[in-house]
Amino acid sequence: VRSRDCDDIIAEIKRLEQNGYTEIILTGIETASYGEDRDEEDALCTLIERITRETTVTRLRLGSMYPSFFTPERCERLKKCTALLPHFHLSVQSGSDRVLRAMKRRYNRTQALDNIKMIRESIAGAAFTTDLMVGFPGETEEDFLDTVAFAREARFIDAHVFAYSRRTGTPAADYPDQVDEATKRRRSEMLIKVCHEVRDEVLGEIVERGEPLSVILETYDGRCYAAHADNFAEVRVESECPNLSGKMVKAIPVSHKNGIITARLI
């Protein structure tokens, strides 16, 4: 792990602000390990607190995080940082304890689910996206079904599902019981279907509540703006105004289809 200097990060954010950027993402190969190479305890929380105090950023996101990073104490600190959006991308990879151990991950299934529940209870409106892998060497059908059940229980607002790809030089390339390609495809298709069902349930609840969404308008196709809500839900905002790109606005969700919310500009 190599961590950038905190002052340098703050300075870059201020430069971005001066150039009109209104949303910042903190990311890295191991975002949750920020500061470990300098023996700094809770350096990431401290950085987010400094950004909140020292800049005017109103939308701050975290990149990929291990579920094990989140503790009750850290959640208490983070929820006081008003700029931090309630969207967390968790690098889960699998819902099977056996596969997670084989991957040498720093958490297990129960810890991941417990932390998701804790974050939801601590931070209002918290939503989660994730990456899920199928076909890791040695993954059995039972392991795979554990991941399917995990996805249903975690209720991710979106998930990137992908199949294990054998890479020469990595430890897993030499593991026994490599999963065949046909099984990988079947498992990918099934898990994607389940994740889409869960996503549609979550988006349906957002539409049913009808609460205004805070979004930054992105590209315009002549009828709708592409946008993302605070919780990272993909949104299409209907408007006849062609010069609003980059503006932060409020929009009322009215429907959803294929993972996209259609909203009406307030």
Side-chain angles (χ1 to χ4, degrees):
V1 173
R2 290 182 295 173
S3 305
R4 284 183 61 188
D5 180 74
C6 191
D7 290 338
D8 183 44
I9 294 171
I10 297 289
E12 182 182 358
I13 290 174
K14 289 181 177 179
R15 289 195 299 271
L16 290 168
E17 287 182 289
Q18 291 172 357
N19 285 311
Y21 290 91
T22 53
E23 181 170 306
I24 300 294
I25 302 173
L26 301 178
T27 191
I29 300 301
E30 290 191 24
T31 313
S33 299
Y34 178 73
E36 285 185 6
D37 53 320
R38 298 193 298 238
D39 295 323
E40 297 175 356
E41 188 174 353
D42 280 342
L44 184 59
C45 287
T46 300
L47 172 62
I48 293 169
E49 289 168 340
R50 281 195 58 186
I51 292 171
T52 302
R53 290 195 309 268
E54 299 176 27
T55 76
T56 59
V57 166
T58 55
R59 286 168 70 101
L60 181 67
R61 292 190 194 274
L62 287 177
S64 183
M65 304 288 292
Y66 290 131
S68 53
F69 169 82
F70 295 94
T71 63
E73 294 75 21
R74 285 171 175 165
C75 282
E76 282 299 310
R77 292 178 66 178
L78 293 176
K79 75 178 184 181
K80 295 175 184 177
C81 299
T82 54
L84 184 65
L85 297 178
H87 161 238
F88 302 94
H89 184 85
L90 303 180
S91 180
V92 174
Q93 302 292 323
S94 174
S96 162
D97 281 342
R98 203 178 66 82
V99 173
L100 289 170
R101 284 194 299 271
M103 289 178 172
K104 297 180 173 58
R105 308 298 284 187
R106 302 181 185 181
Y107 49 86
N108 58 36
R109 171 196 179 92
T110 299
Q111 185 178 20
L113 287 172
D114 286 349
N115 282 9
I116 287 172
K117 180 180 178 182
M118 176 193 65
I119 296 167
R120 281 198 169 108
E121 292 174 347
S122 177
I123 300 176
F128 301 89
T129 53
T130 194
D131 304 305
L132 294 170
M133 179 190 291
V134 301
F136 191 77
E139 181 188 63
T140 65
E141 195 68 14
E142 182 179 0
D143 293 328
F144 168 67
L145 293 177
D146 281 345
T147 297
V148 172
F150 179 92
R152 290 192 186 278
E153 189 170 350
R155 304 192 78 232
F156 296 110
I157 200 168
D158 197 15
H160 171 224
V161 176
F162 62 104
Y164 167 78
S165 178
R166 198 171 190 174
R167 303 290 175 88
T168 302
T170 61
D174 297 323
Y175 285 179
D177 302 322
Q178 297 283 330
V179 179
D180 64 88
E181 295 302 319
T183 299
K184 290 179 189 177
R185 284 194 299 273
R186 177 180 60 80
R187 290 177 181 174
S188 292
E189 290 169 1
M190 179 178 172
L191 186 55
I192 288 170
K193 182 175 183 293
V194 169
C195 288
H196 284 179
E197 290 171 355
V198 173
R199 176 199 65 193
D200 290 344
E201 289 174 7
V202 175
L203 295 185
E205 292 169 3
I206 293 172
V207 172
E208 185 176 351
R209 286 196 298 270
E211 297 172 356
L213 303 175
S214 176
V215 303
I216 292 179
L217 300 179
E218 301 166 14
T219 55
Y220 185 59
D221 65 6
R223 187 178 67 85
C224 292
Y225 284 94
H228 285 86
D230 286 357
N231 61 11
F232 206 61
E234 191 172 353
V235 183
R236 292 289 182 269
V237 181
E238 298 176 339
S239 175
E240 296 179 357
C241 301
N243 58 348
L244 298 178
S245 293
K247 302 293 185 183
M248 188 180 300
V249 301
K250 295 284 187 179
I252 299 292
V254 295
S255 64
H256 73 95
K257 184 178 181 181
N258 297 329
I260 302 174
I261 292 174
T262 298
R264 183 181 72 253
L265 188 68
I266 297 179

mmCIF file of all heavy atoms in Angstrom, residues 63-78:
data_model
loop_
_atom_site.group_PDB
_atom_site.id
_atom_site.type_symbol
_atom_site.label_atom_id
_atom_site.label_comp_id
_atom_site.label_asym_id
_atom_site.label_seq_id
_atom_site.Cartn_x
_atom_site.Cartn_y
_atom_site.Cartn_z
ATOM 1 N N GLY A 63 -14.660 4.844 -3.141
ATOM 2 C CA GLY A 63 -14.480 3.767 -4.099
ATOM 3 C C GLY A 63 -14.628 2.421 -3.410
ATOM 4 O O GLY A 63 -15.132 2.309 -2.298
ATOM 5 N N SER A 64 -14.155 1.378 -4.057
ATOM 6 C CA SER A 64 -14.336 0.013 -3.578
ATOM 7 C C SER A 64 -13.781 -0.176 -2.169
ATOM 8 O O SER A 64 -12.642 0.190 -1.875
ATOM 9 C CB SER A 64 -13.643 -0.949 -4.543
ATOM 10 O OG SER A 64 -13.856 -2.271 -4.163
ATOM 11 N N MET A 65 -14.606 -0.761 -1.292
ATOM 12 C CA MET A 65 -14.242 -0.941 0.116
ATOM 13 C C MET A 65 -14.438 -2.387 0.553
ATOM 14 O O MET A 65 -15.358 -3.067 0.105
ATOM 15 C CB MET A 65 -15.119 -0.050 1.010
ATOM 16 C CG MET A 65 -15.079 1.423 0.669
ATOM 17 S SD MET A 65 -13.514 2.188 1.142
ATOM 18 C CE MET A 65 -13.631 2.118 2.923
ATOM 19 N N TYR A 66 -13.589 -2.849 1.465
ATOM 20 C CA TYR A 66 -13.839 -4.136 2.110
ATOM 21 C C TYR A 66 -14.974 -3.962 3.113
ATOM 22 O O TYR A 66 -15.001 -2.967 3.848
ATOM 23 C CB TYR A 66 -12.605 -4.626 2.858
ATOM 24 C CG TYR A 66 -11.453 -5.049 1.990
ATOM 25 C CD1 TYR A 66 -10.166 -4.589 2.237
ATOM 26 C CD2 TYR A 66 -11.643 -5.931 0.931
ATOM 27 C CE1 TYR A 66 -9.097 -4.983 1.452
ATOM 28 C CE2 TYR A 66 -10.583 -6.328 0.138
ATOM 29 C CZ TYR A 66 -9.310 -5.849 0.405
ATOM 30 O OH TYR A 66 -8.255 -6.231 -0.381
ATOM 31 N N PRO A 67 -15.893 -4.921 3.213
ATOM 32 C CA PRO A 67 -16.950 -4.807 4.229
ATOM 33 C C PRO A 67 -16.393 -4.704 5.638
ATOM 34 O O PRO A 67 -16.986 -4.045 6.501
ATOM 35 C CB PRO A 67 -17.746 -6.109 4.040
ATOM 36 C CG PRO A 67 -17.462 -6.547 2.654
ATOM 37 C CD PRO A 67 -16.057 -6.118 2.366
ATOM 38 N N SER A 68 -15.241 -5.347 5.879
ATOM 39 C CA SER A 68 -14.669 -5.366 7.223
ATOM 40 C C SER A 68 -14.163 -4.004 7.687
ATOM 41 O O SER A 68 -13.873 -3.815 8.878
ATOM 42 C CB SER A 68 -13.527 -6.382 7.291
ATOM 43 O OG SER A 68 -12.577 -6.141 6.263
ATOM 44 N N PHE A 69 -14.054 -3.028 6.772
ATOM 45 C CA PHE A 69 -13.597 -1.698 7.167
ATOM 46 C C PHE A 69 -14.572 -1.026 8.121
ATOM 47 O O PHE A 69 -14.182 -0.295 9.036
ATOM 48 C CB PHE A 69 -13.408 -0.813 5.921
ATOM 49 C CG PHE A 69 -13.185 0.645 6.239
ATOM 50 C CD1 PHE A 69 -11.934 1.098 6.594
ATOM 51 C CD2 PHE A 69 -14.239 1.561 6.193
ATOM 52 C CE1 PHE A 69 -11.725 2.447 6.907
ATOM 53 C CE2 PHE A 69 -14.040 2.893 6.497
ATOM 54 C CZ PHE A 69 -12.777 3.344 6.851
ATOM 55 N N PHE A 70 -15.854 -1.285 7.916
ATOM 56 C CA PHE A 70 -16.878 -0.533 8.638
ATOM 57 C C PHE A 70 -17.098 -1.103 10.043
ATOM 58 O O PHE A 70 -17.328 -2.290 10.220
ATOM 59 C CB PHE A 70 -18.186 -0.530 7.848
ATOM 60 C CG PHE A 70 -18.067 0.192 6.543
ATOM 61 C CD1 PHE A 70 -17.769 -0.494 5.374
ATOM 62 C CD2 PHE A 70 -18.213 1.570 6.479
ATOM 63 C CE1 PHE A 70 -17.642 0.166 4.172
ATOM 64 C CE2 PHE A 70 -18.077 2.244 5.281
ATOM 65 C CZ PHE A 70 -17.791 1.546 4.120
ATOM 66 N N THR A 71 -17.012 -0.212 11.010
ATOM 67 C CA THR A 71 -17.282 -0.536 12.404
ATOM 68 C C THR A 71 -18.294 0.479 12.922
ATOM 69 O O THR A 71 -18.489 1.547 12.304
ATOM 70 C CB THR A 71 -16.005 -0.443 13.252
ATOM 71 O OG1 THR A 71 -15.542 0.935 13.235
ATOM 72 C CG2 THR A 71 -14.909 -1.344 12.702
ATOM 73 N N PRO A 72 -18.951 0.216 14.052
ATOM 74 C CA PRO A 72 -19.887 1.209 14.611
ATOM 75 C C PRO A 72 -19.221 2.561 14.844
ATOM 76 O O PRO A 72 -19.827 3.611 14.587
ATOM 77 C CB PRO A 72 -20.329 0.564 15.919
ATOM 78 C CG PRO A 72 -20.221 -0.900 15.665
ATOM 79 C CD PRO A 72 -18.998 -1.059 14.801
ATOM 80 N N GLU A 73 -17.970 2.546 15.304
ATOM 81 C CA GLU A 73 -17.269 3.806 15.585
ATOM 82 C C GLU A 73 -17.013 4.589 14.291
ATOM 83 O O GLU A 73 -17.209 5.815 14.240
ATOM 84 C CB GLU A 73 -15.939 3.515 16.297
ATOM 85 C CG GLU A 73 -16.068 2.919 17.691
ATOM 86 C CD GLU A 73 -16.468 1.452 17.678
ATOM 87 O OE1 GLU A 73 -16.261 0.776 16.629
ATOM 88 O OE2 GLU A 73 -17.008 0.971 18.702
ATOM 89 N N ARG A 74 -16.595 3.887 13.243
ATOM 90 C CA ARG A 74 -16.332 4.566 11.973
ATOM 91 C C ARG A 74 -17.626 5.079 11.344
ATOM 92 O O ARG A 74 -17.649 6.163 10.767
ATOM 93 C CB ARG A 74 -15.597 3.623 11.021
ATOM 94 C CG ARG A 74 -14.129 3.433 11.380
ATOM 95 C CD ARG A 74 -13.474 2.338 10.579
ATOM 96 N NE ARG A 74 -12.039 2.267 10.858
ATOM 97 C CZ ARG A 74 -11.269 1.248 10.537
ATOM 98 N NH1 ARG A 74 -11.800 0.195 9.897
ATOM 99 N NH2 ARG A 74 -9.981 1.251 10.824
ATOM 100 N N CYS A 75 -18.689 4.310 11.455
ATOM 101 C CA CYS A 75 -19.971 4.766 10.919
ATOM 102 C C CYS A 75 -20.427 6.043 11.626
ATOM 103 O O CYS A 75 -20.978 6.952 10.984
ATOM 104 C CB CYS A 75 -21.035 3.683 11.067
ATOM 105 S SG CYS A 75 -20.910 2.372 9.831
ATOM 106 N N GLU A 76 -20.211 6.125 12.931
ATOM 107 C CA GLU A 76 -20.583 7.325 13.680
ATOM 108 C C GLU A 76 -19.809 8.536 13.176
ATOM 109 O O GLU A 76 -20.364 9.632 13.061
ATOM 110 C CB GLU A 76 -20.327 7.117 15.180
ATOM 111 C CG GLU A 76 -21.373 6.294 15.882
ATOM 112 C CD GLU A 76 -22.761 6.928 15.806
ATOM 113 O OE1 GLU A 76 -22.885 8.126 16.126
ATOM 114 O OE2 GLU A 76 -23.710 6.230 15.417
ATOM 115 N N ARG A 77 -18.535 8.340 12.870
ATOM 116 C CA ARG A 77 -17.729 9.442 12.344
ATOM 117 C C ARG A 77 -18.174 9.832 10.938
ATOM 118 O O ARG A 77 -18.328 11.021 10.629
ATOM 119 C CB ARG A 77 -16.251 9.060 12.341
ATOM 120 C CG ARG A 77 -15.631 8.919 13.721
ATOM 121 C CD ARG A 77 -14.176 8.501 13.642
ATOM 122 N NE ARG A 77 -13.333 9.528 13.037
ATOM 123 C CZ ARG A 77 -12.006 9.392 12.889
ATOM 124 N NH1 ARG A 77 -11.404 8.277 13.286
ATOM 125 N NH2 ARG A 77 -11.294 10.373 12.340
ATOM 126 N N LEU A 78 -18.405 8.821 10.097
ATOM 127 C CA LEU A 78 -18.718 9.097 8.697
ATOM 128 C C LEU A 78 -20.075 9.758 8.519
ATOM 129 O O LEU A 78 -20.247 10.608 7.640
ATOM 130 C CB LEU A 78 -18.649 7.798 7.884
ATOM 131 C CG LEU A 78 -17.259 7.179 7.736
ATOM 132 C CD1 LEU A 78 -17.343 5.849 6.999
ATOM 133 C CD2 LEU A 78 -16.301 8.121 7.023
#
